[in-house]
Amino acid sequence: MKSIILAGGSGSRLWPLSREEYPKQFLSLDKNESLLQETFNRTCHFANPSDIVTVTNVKQYTNIKLQLNNIDKNNIVIGEPLVKNTAPAIASAIEYFIQTQSDENDIVLILPSDHIIKDITSFKNAIEQAYMIAKDGYIVTLGVRPDYPETAYGYIKTGDAISCGYKVDKFVEKPDSQDAQQYFSTGDYYWNSGIFIGKISVFVEAYKKYMPQIIDNIKNIDYSQGTQINYTVYETMPNISIDYAIMEKADNIALVELKSDWKDVGSWKSIYDVKDKDENGNVLTGKVIIDNVKNSFIYSQKEIVAVSGLENIILVETEDAIMACDINDSQNVKNLYEKLKTTESGITKLHKTVFRPWGYYTCMNGGEGYLTKTICVLPKHKLSVQSHNHRSEHWVVLEGKALVLLEGKEYDVNAGDSIDIPLGAKHSLQNPYDEELKIIEVQKGDYISEDDIIRYEDCYGRV
C-alpha cells in the first residue's frame, strides 16, 4: 500500500501554542512524539517508509523533514509553493507515485497529520476492511460514529449496506447546533474523519472527471528535479478541498466505520477531551496554581499562572502571548488569530523561541531597524554559510567558543569576545566543540526578517 500524509495547516485554532510556521502537527500532546511523528509511525503499519509521501507547504518543509528524519532518514516530503487546500495536495502526491513507476492498481491511504488514535488494533481493522472495498473500485472514507452533536466536524450520511461498510449518500459540511443534534439523533450520520483509501487509477479518473484543471496543472511537475514544486505549477491551481472537489460529486464513495478512539485535534477543547483530568475535571500543565477551579484546561509554558474561582475555561500562556476563552467556545480562537494577523506582526507566525536543526534562538527585544536574539548552537553543529542583503550583525559570545567563518577566513571567538558581520558578508556561525555555544546577536538594518537569508552551503539541505 502507498500512503499520503497531509501536513499543511495554519495553526490558527491552537494559537498561541501553534503558529503559522509551527502548526499543530509539530506539537507533542501525549508523549515525546509530535502528532506528525505519531501519524508517520501509525502509517508504517500499512506502508513501507519509502512508500509514504508527506505533503506540506514550503514554509514548513524543513521542520517536517527534521521531525521525520528522527524516524526515517529517507522520508519523502513534497513542498507546495502555495497553500491550495487538500485536493491539489493529494493530486501532487499521486503524481509523485505515478512518476516513480507505481502500479496504477496500487491502493493509497490518505491521512491528515493531526489526529490522535491510540487504539491501533481497531484502526488496523478499519483500514483492512476499507482496503477490500477499495479493491472493487470504491473510494472509501473512514467514518466515526458521533457520541455527541459536534458542530466542528463535517458529517457523512450513509446509504445502502455493502460488504464491511456502506455506500455514501451525501457529505454534509459543518452544521449548526440544531442540524448537528438532528444528525446525531438519526444514527445514519458519521463524522468525516478525512481519512480516504482508493486505487491510484480510481483517484486519477475522479480528478479527470470532476477537477480536470488540477490534473492539467499537476502534469507540469517534474519530480526528477526535486520534491519542491515550482511556483508556476500552483499559481493557477484551484483552492479546493478533496471533499468539495471529488467526494461530494462522485458516485463510487463508500464508508467504513472507524471503531477506535479517534480524535481530530481541531480545538483546545478537543485536546482537553483526550487528556487525563484531576478530581475536579481539570487539565493542568506547567507552573499552574489553582483554587476552586473546575472543568478547565490551563497551560503554562514559562511563567506561574494562578487561577481562582473559574469553571469551563481554556487558559494558555506562552513566552509571548496569553489566550483565554470559554471551553465550549474554543473553536472561535481562529477569529482571534485572524484579528492578530492584521494587528500584531509576527505573533501568529513564529514563537519567541524557534528551534532549528542546529539548536535554537530566542527573540529578546526588537524595534524599528533592530532585533536582539540569544542563539544556542548545539555541540558539533553549525549554521549555514549565508549572507544578508538588508542587515549587519554583531555577535557577543556568552558561553562556549565560536568558530566564525567570515569572507573565507576563520576566527576563534571566546566567551566575552565579539565580532562584527558586515552587510552582505558571507559568513557562518559554527560550534565544532563539545559544549553548547551561546551568543547574543544584534541585527541592524532597514529590513529585519528571517527571509533575508541567502544560503550558499548548508548541511541540513536548505540551500
Side-chain angles (χ1 to χ4, degrees):
M1 186 185 292
K2 308 294 184 180
S3 188
I4 300 167
I5 297 176
L6 302 173
S10 64
S12 59
R13 288 186 176 89
L14 293 182
W15 185 87
L17 198 57
S18 65
R19 306 288 170 104
E20 183 178 329
E21 295 185 26
Y22 199 84
K24 57 186 176 180
Q25 62 262 26
F26 294 132
L27 303 179
S28 176
L29 302 178
D30 276 341
K31 48 187 178 181
N32 292 329
E33 291 182 333
S34 69
L35 292 173
L36 169 68
Q37 291 169 324
E38 289 181 14
T39 301
F40 191 93
N41 283 326
R42 195 160 55 240
T43 308
C44 287
H45 288 286
F46 313 102
N48 293 322
S50 59
D51 290 326
I52 301 172
V53 171
T54 303
V55 188
T56 189
N57 63 69
V58 291
K59 292 181 180 179
Q60 299 165 14
Y61 183 93
T62 298
N63 280 332
I64 294 281
K65 287 290 291 184
L66 291 172
Q67 285 211 357
L68 294 183
N69 280 347
N70 292 327
I71 302 173
D72 183 84
K73 295 289 186 183
N74 298 313
N75 67 86
I76 303 160
V77 179
I78 292 174
E80 298 178 290
L82 297 168
V83 177
K84 291 288 188 175
N85 219 312
T86 55
I90 291 168
S92 298
I94 288 174
E95 179 65 19
Y96 175 86
F97 289 133
I98 292 171
Q99 290 190 23
T100 53
Q101 308 303 311
S102 295
D103 191 300
E104 66 174 11
N105 289 315
D106 281 343
I107 289 177
V108 60
L109 167 64
I110 301 166
L111 297 158
S113 61
D114 56 358
H115 291 175
I116 295 176
I117 299 175
K118 298 178 183 178
D119 184 357
I120 300 300
T121 299
S122 296
F123 181 67
K124 289 175 68 175
N125 289 339
I127 297 297
E128 289 166 0
Q129 292 171 0
Y131 182 90
M132 299 305 296
I133 298 175
K135 287 174 66 176
D136 292 331
Y138 285 94
I139 296 175
V140 188
T141 181
L142 299 190
V144 178
R145 187 174 291 280
D147 49 19
Y148 62 95
E150 175 63 71
T151 60
Y153 299 151
Y155 284 72
I156 303 171
K157 187 178 186 297
T158 54
D160 296 336
I162 57 175
S163 174
C164 303
Y166 303 90
K167 290 185 177 180
V168 168
D169 185 30
K170 64 178 179 179
F171 281 72
V172 182
E173 285 304 300
K174 297 173 183 177
D176 58 27
S177 57
Q178 183 176 351
D179 286 340
Q181 182 61 56
Q182 179 188 347
Y183 300 157
F184 175 66
S185 301
T186 64
D188 293 332
Y189 288 81
Y190 288 79
W191 287 334
N192 181 4
S193 72
I195 300 172
F196 305 106
I197 305 170
K199 289 182 181 179
I200 289 175
S201 59
V202 172
F203 276 110
V204 170
E205 287 305 311
Y207 275 102
K208 286 180 179 178
K209 184 175 182 179
Y210 302 111
M211 275 286 134
Q213 60 269 52
I214 291 181
I215 287 292
D216 291 342
N217 284 355
I218 291 300
K219 287 179 180 178
N220 294 319
I221 300 175
D222 182 3
Y223 284 114
S224 67
Q225 302 300 311
T227 57
Q228 296 204 37
I229 300 172
N230 189 283
Y231 178 88
T232 57
V233 175
Y234 261 56
E235 189 176 11
T236 59
M237 186 76 74
N239 187 342
I240 189 169
S241 71
I242 190 70
D243 297 59
Y244 280 129
I246 292 175
M247 299 302 164
E248 293 184 2
K249 300 174 182 176
D251 58 5
N252 60 335
I253 309 298
L255 179 144
V256 167
E257 182 176 348
L258 175 56
K259 299 176 181 178
S260 78
D261 54 348
W262 171 89
K263 180 65 70 172
D264 177 6
V265 185
S267 69
W268 282 111
K269 184 180 183 301
S270 66
I271 295 178
Y272 170 82
D273 288 341
V274 300
K275 287 282 193 177
D276 293 333
K277 301 167 183 65
D278 65 17
E279 65 275 10
N280 292 312
N282 297 316
V283 176
L284 310 176
T285 302
K287 300 175 183 178
V288 178
I289 298 173
I290 61 171
D291 176 61
N292 191 27
V293 174
K294 296 180 180 179
N295 304 322
S296 296
F297 181 101
I298 305 172
Y299 178 99
S300 171
Q301 192 173 74
K302 187 176 181 181
E303 306 296 339
I304 293 174
V305 174
V307 182
S308 177
L310 296 177
E311 295 185 23
N312 302 316
I313 66 160
I314 302 285
L315 196 156
V316 180
E317 178 270 342
T318 65
E319 285 183 296
D320 58 351
I322 298 172
M323 189 284 299
C325 68
D326 185 285
I327 198 167
N328 295 309
D329 198 36
S330 65
Q331 284 288 337
N332 290 330
V333 170
K334 183 177 182 179
N335 297 337
L336 287 175
Y337 178 92
E338 293 300 326
K339 288 183 178 181
L340 286 164
K341 282 178 69 174
T342 62
T343 59
E344 295 292 334
S345 176
I347 201 166
T348 60
K349 291 185 177 181
L350 289 168
H351 284 280
K352 197 171 183 179
T353 296
V354 179
F355 292 91
R356 291 292 188 241
W358 42 260
Y360 62 88
Y361 68 81
T362 300
C363 295
M364 298 170 60
N365 193 18
E368 187 66 33
Y370 75 93
L371 177 67
T372 304
K373 294 180 177 180
T374 56
I375 297 176
C376 177
V377 185
L378 299 174
K380 311 300 182 183
H381 285 67
K382 58 185 177 181
L383 280 68
S384 60
V385 178
Q386 58 186 255
S387 66
H388 312 293
N389 289 330
H390 299 277
R391 70 175 187 254
S392 61
E393 296 174 345
H394 179 71
W395 296 345
V396 180
V397 176
L398 301 176
E399 298 179 18
K401 181 180 178 181
L403 175 62
V404 177
L405 272 60
L406 181 59
E407 293 292 3
K409 296 182 179 180
E410 294 186 356
Y411 300 87
D412 289 321
V413 187
N414 298 306
D417 294 335
S418 64
I419 189 169
D420 288 309
I421 309 299
L423 176 71
K426 191 180 293 187
H427 63 278
S428 174
L429 177 64
Q430 303 188 2
N431 181 12
Y433 309 110
D434 295 326
E435 296 180 355
E436 286 187 349
L437 166 65
K438 292 184 179 179
I439 74 166
I440 288 179
E441 175 183 85
V442 180
Q443 301 178 2
K444 188 75 172 68
D446 58 7
Y447 175 74
I448 305 295
S449 175
E450 282 300 303
D451 60 15
D452 180 26
I453 298 177
I454 302 170
R455 289 190 173 92
Y456 304 95
E457 300 174 24
D458 184 56
C459 60
Y460 308 107
R462 297 173 298 172
V463 174

